[in-house]
Amino acid sequence: MALSEKRIQELKQIAKGIRKDIIDITGWAGGAHIGGGMSMVDIMVLLYWELAKVDPKNPDWEDRDRVILSKGHAGVGYAPVLARKGYFQFELLKNFNKFMSPFGMHLDGCKVKGVDVSTGSLGHGLPIGVGLALGARLQKKPWITYCILGDGECNEGSVWEAAMAASHFKLTNLISFVDRNRLMIDGGTEEVMALEPFADKWRAFGFHVIECDGHDFAALDNAIGQARAHTAGPCLIMANTVKGKGVDFMEGDVKWHYGGLSTDLVAKAKESVDRM
Amino acid sequence: MSEGLTWTVYDANTMTQAEIYGEVLCKLGELDDKIVGLSADLANSTKIGKFGKKFPDRFFNVGIAEQNLFGVASGLAKSGLTPFVSTMAVFTAMRAAEQVRTDICYQNLNVKIIATHAGASFGQAGTTHHCTEDLAIMRSFANMTVIVPADGIEMALCVRECVERPGPVYIRIGRGFEPTYYEDEDYGFKIGKAVTIKDGTDITLICCGITVLQAAEAAKILEENDGLSVRVLNMHTIKPLDEIAVMKAVLETRRIVTFEEHNILGGLGSAVAEVIAKSGKGCAFETVGIPDCFCVVGYPEDLYTHYGLDTDGVVSKVRDVMKIEFEEDEDWEDEV
Ligand SMILES: Cc1ncc(C[n+]2csc(CCOP(=O)(O)OP(=O)(O)O)c2C)c(N)n1
């Protein structure tokens, strides 16, 4: 069933809250991957508040859906989602990056509740996702595996090795997203190492590709609905996003891939989110 | 060293190791048009981007694709060029290990690798970015030269010298905020030859990279407070190891402590231990490094303190080693 207008408004408020959390954590941490954290917020909010079958009170529940943040550097955007869902106290994130903290820049499944896979080295998530999806099928488990990839990350050969396997094994219980914000570290994706025709590449690898606006809840929800209904093989949602989304002075600026925020900038950034 | 390399790194105190590397590579690029640069979406972070801006035609950013990065470098070297390749140490020594071994080392190709963010220098990033295994891995690749420069000055010297050295070279540095040890370049740097920072007769501290500065300070403290005569060797080249310097330390001080930002297994400590074992001589020996574990998260300074990779840590290890009693062999007196 499509999302109601009321629910969409609620999700938007939640997403605004998460964006402000990301700003706070970046301030506390002294620096974080804020640009790519902001661009994926709406995907993560929809997953955790609407779609993924998970239970924060029972994080190891065997039949839970699995979520893999393959673009693991965006941990600063994942941690507040898990905290606000109740996996752990938000206050603990004041310790992000700090000595002996469970929260390094890249979230670690051995240390943080709710994190299924430790990521941070790019190109590892989708192969692990293929394994989780194959494992579910073999053992007749109901879980769906969701995998969130960076667009720059798709330079890695291992992503395409996994893509080939996902379609070879006809994995319909694996739903992947590309956070298509068009930026990496050294510049735009098309300048550094061109990906286009990007959706066609995924199609050539046997994926059903659904393109949508990655900041529009209705569009994202519709895309995921289509993906779940698709029974011929794996699906990829190409979510068009803006790096730094919500903070006017960061949006689309490669400089904000990674950065720190002074108290002044924290305030300015939050004001910008308020105006969203 | 070739003619014309007479300039100095005048502002080593204000530039990070990586920045100095970028500068030096630009200068070398002017002198030698066979030099090309490569990175994998880390041109700016590793500072090889300076070379890229200056010589856009001779610089290749392959995107986030480290295996391809080292494969391409291999091909460029086979075509007769001298590639300098930079990405983080963890993605060099582990992600692309086979490309480095088979495509570069096996064929003894002229590829110079400058690996950054090594050890615990990117401690806050977590396990995926810690790199405390690279020396063990790189040291086990035949044909590879492995260098850990003490600071920016030594970085400049080894980058210059490695151009003259045929075959693959692995130069390992941190994130770049480390304090410098050397004040000028005239201390006789030579790949494969340990630098005696300070002579001594009671015990030898063998160190590399950021630990050189700490070891020099520790030696001072031990001399003043404990009356010990401490020899300090900057063993910047892990391979080929200066075995003569280690043997001299065995024979002349009979006590050795190694000190490195690496797992205590497989790196400098192991390389030195191999020489001691082969010598057949009694020698009290300890290693200071990251214990055989995955590091905790934190800013590098906190991690160095936590793992005893600082002046205090090495001072207390030296005191322990001074207490070790062992039987002197028969010709002990002749040798000392
Ligand atoms: C294997 C590997 N190589 C390099 C890096 C360093 N790195 C961290 S983030 C990043 C850029 C990622 O770009 P993208 O996937 O587009 O992420 P986003 O723009 O969404 O943040 C790079 C190169 C890494 N984490 N892992």
Side-chain angles (χ1 to χ4, degrees):
Chain A
M1 222 183 55
L3 292 172
S4 68
E5 190 49 39
K6 178 163 169 281
R7 186 61 181 148
I8 289 176
Q9 290 310 320
E10 283 166 10
L11 292 172
K12 278 189 178 169
Q13 287 311 311
I14 295 167
K16 270 191 178 186
I18 297 291
R19 287 196 161 86
K20 288 190 197 168
D21 290 342
I22 294 175
I23 293 165
D24 276 329
I25 301 167
T26 304
W28 297 328
H33 292 89
I34 187 162
M38 289 293 199
S39 61
M40 67 173 198
V41 166
D42 305 299
I43 299 170
M44 299 306 275
V45 165
L46 187 69
L47 269 185
Y48 274 88
W49 271 267
E50 212 39 54
L51 297 165
K53 291 197 199 68
V54 291
D55 179 5
K57 298 281 163 295
N58 185 10
D60 300 325
W61 170 40
E62 215 188 313
D63 289 347
R64 71 188 183 282
D65 286 344
R66 304 301 200 268
V67 178
I68 306 171
L69 181 64
S70 192
K71 43 170 280 187
H73 57 279
V76 70
Y78 191 15
V81 166
L82 293 171
R84 297 300 182 193
K85 278 303 285 185
Y87 284 92
F88 48 80
Q89 281 185 335
F90 181 73
E91 291 301 299
L92 290 176
L93 294 173
K94 290 200 165 143
N95 216 14
F96 200 86
N97 275 4
K98 306 265 161 61
F99 181 53
M100 292 283 238
S101 170
F103 304 100
M105 222 173 260
H106 306 84
L107 294 193
D108 181 337
C110 300
K111 295 176 183 164
V112 179
K113 280 209 185 86
V115 175
D116 287 313
V117 175
S118 307
T119 51
S121 179
L122 295 166
H124 287 232
L126 195 57
I128 297 172
V130 167
L132 278 165
L134 278 172
R137 186 163 77 190
L138 186 65
Q139 299 170 89
K140 304 207 168 32
K141 293 289 184 188
W143 76 68
I144 293 180
T145 300
Y146 294 98
C147 181
I148 298 100
L149 296 150
D151 47 7
E153 181 183 10
C154 294
N155 292 170
E156 289 284 2
S158 55
V159 171
W160 300 99
E161 293 169 30
M164 199 160 9
S167 76
H168 179 81
F169 295 124
K170 299 200 167 42
L171 294 175
T172 51
N173 55 352
L174 173 68
I175 298 181
S176 305
F177 298 82
V178 170
D179 180 0
R180 183 74 174 114
N181 59 31
R182 299 191 162 263
L183 293 175
M184 39 211 283
I185 293 184
D186 284 341
T189 57
E190 301 317 290
E191 295 150 40
V192 177
M193 183 51 59
L195 294 163
E196 294 295 346
F198 195 23
D200 284 344
K201 287 195 170 99
W202 285 98
R203 288 189 187 104
F205 273 73
F207 275 67
H208 177 59
V209 179
I210 306 152
E211 294 188 64
C212 73
D213 177 344
H215 300 305
D216 177 336
F217 285 110
L220 274 171
D221 185 56
N222 175 45
I224 296 172
Q226 276 186 53
R228 281 184 172 172
H230 183 78
T231 53
C235 284
L236 180 106
I237 297 168
M238 184 67 73
N240 291 310
T241 57
V242 174
K243 204 157 171 170
K245 176 73 178 178
V247 179
D248 47 13
F249 62 88
M250 291 183 191
E251 284 189 1
D253 184 350
V254 74
K255 279 205 300 289
W256 284 100
H257 172 77
Y258 177 90
L261 291 173
S262 62
T263 322
D264 279 359
L265 280 184
V266 164
K268 265 182 79 181
K270 285 189 183 171
E271 282 163 23
S272 174
V273 170
D274 274 331
R275 288 192 298 270
M276 275 181 89
Chain B
M1 230 174 274
S2 48
E3 304 274 335
L5 286 176
T6 49
W7 47 275
T8 51
V9 184
Y10 43 91
D11 46 2
N13 282 320
T14 56
M15 280 158 72
T16 68
Q17 266 180 320
E19 281 168 337
I20 289 172
Y21 155 56
E23 284 288 315
V24 173
L25 198 57
C26 285
K27 298 249 162 74
L28 290 172
E30 283 170 14
L31 300 168
D32 181 352
D33 62 7
K34 297 257 186 233
I35 290 178
V36 294
L38 292 95
S39 188
D41 197 31
L42 288 171
N44 294 328
S45 327
T46 64
K47 308 297 178 234
I48 199 173
K50 278 194 183 180
F51 178 90
K53 289 222 168 70
K54 190 160 174 159
F55 303 105
D57 296 346
R58 286 153 62 187
F59 180 72
F60 307 98
N61 192 335
V62 301
I64 311 168
E66 294 76 13
Q67 298 178 66
N68 190 39
L69 175 72
F70 288 98
V72 172
S74 163
L76 285 164
K78 280 168 91 71
S79 82
L81 296 164
T82 307
F84 273 76
V85 191
S86 265
T87 183
M88 292 187 193
V90 67
F91 308 132
T92 305
M94 286 173 254
R95 184 58 154 272
E98 198 191 339
Q99 276 77 8
V100 173
R101 171 193 174 270
T102 307
D103 304 342
I104 294 171
C105 291
Y106 174 52
Q107 305 173 76
N108 205 10
L109 293 176
N110 210 14
V111 177
K112 315 304 177 192
I113 301 169
I114 284 76
T116 65
H117 299 70
S121 66
F122 203 9
Q124 66 274 36
T127 309
T128 52
H129 287 60
H130 296 160
C131 187
T132 57
E133 304 90 345
D134 58 327
L135 298 179
I137 297 166
M138 287 298 158
R139 198 165 80 78
S140 69
F141 292 174
N143 292 333
M144 185 65 108
T145 297
V146 181
I147 306 175
V148 187
D151 65 3
I153 298 258
E154 197 157 277
M155 180 71 189
L157 294 169
C158 71
V159 168
R160 272 194 266 177
E161 202 181 311
C162 82
V163 182
E164 313 285 302
R165 189 179 175 86
V169 178
Y170 180 79
I171 299 175
R172 168 229 226 209
I173 61 175
R175 199 164 172 226
F177 304 109
E178 301 80 11
T180 56
Y181 174 74
Y182 287 109
E183 281 162 14
D184 59 54
E185 300 174 41
D186 308 318
Y187 61 91
F189 175 86
K190 212 175 162 336
I191 292 175
K193 188 117 186 40
V195 182
T196 306
I197 299 276
K198 199 187 137 308
D199 208 357
T201 51
D202 292 327
I203 187 163
T204 304
L205 273 175
I206 304 184
C207 44
C208 63
I210 57 158
T211 65
V212 170
L213 177 66
Q214 309 288 344
E217 274 171 27
K220 258 189 241 150
I221 293 170
L222 288 159
E223 202 145 83
E224 281 163 21
N225 297 353
D226 303 47
L228 286 176
S229 166
V230 182
R231 180 179 300 181
V232 180
L233 297 181
N234 169 9
M235 193 64 83
H236 47 71
T237 308
I238 311 297
K239 183 186 172 181
L241 191 77
D242 186 345
E243 299 198 4
I244 293 170
V246 178
M247 268 313 292
K248 276 186 69 179
V250 172
L251 297 177
E252 293 169 11
T253 71
R254 291 285 172 153
R255 292 174 199 273
I256 293 178
V257 173
T258 58
F259 190 17
E260 64 192 310
E261 187 188 357
H262 187 273
N263 190 314
I264 50 168
L265 304 182
L268 175 66
S270 296
V272 168
E274 287 157 17
V275 178
I276 298 173
K278 268 192 288 185
S279 77
K281 304 288 175 192
C283 179
F285 174 69
E286 263 295 357
T287 53
V288 178
I290 312 268
D292 183 24
C293 69
F294 289 101
C295 285
V296 298
V297 163
Y299 286 105
E301 315 78 64
D302 294 330
L303 299 193
Y304 299 148
T305 310
H306 181 65
Y307 292 115
L309 276 174
D310 57 5
T311 308
D312 289 351
V314 77
V315 162
S316 81
K317 195 66 115 190
V318 165
R319 286 179 181 148
D320 291 346
V321 170
M322 288 312 296
K323 286 188 210 124
I324 298 175
E325 289 186 22
F326 57 95
E327 258 180 56
E328 299 171 356
D329 47 276
E330 285 160 12
D331 49 3
W332 166 268
E333 284 306 328
D334 305 340
E335 286 166 354
V336 174

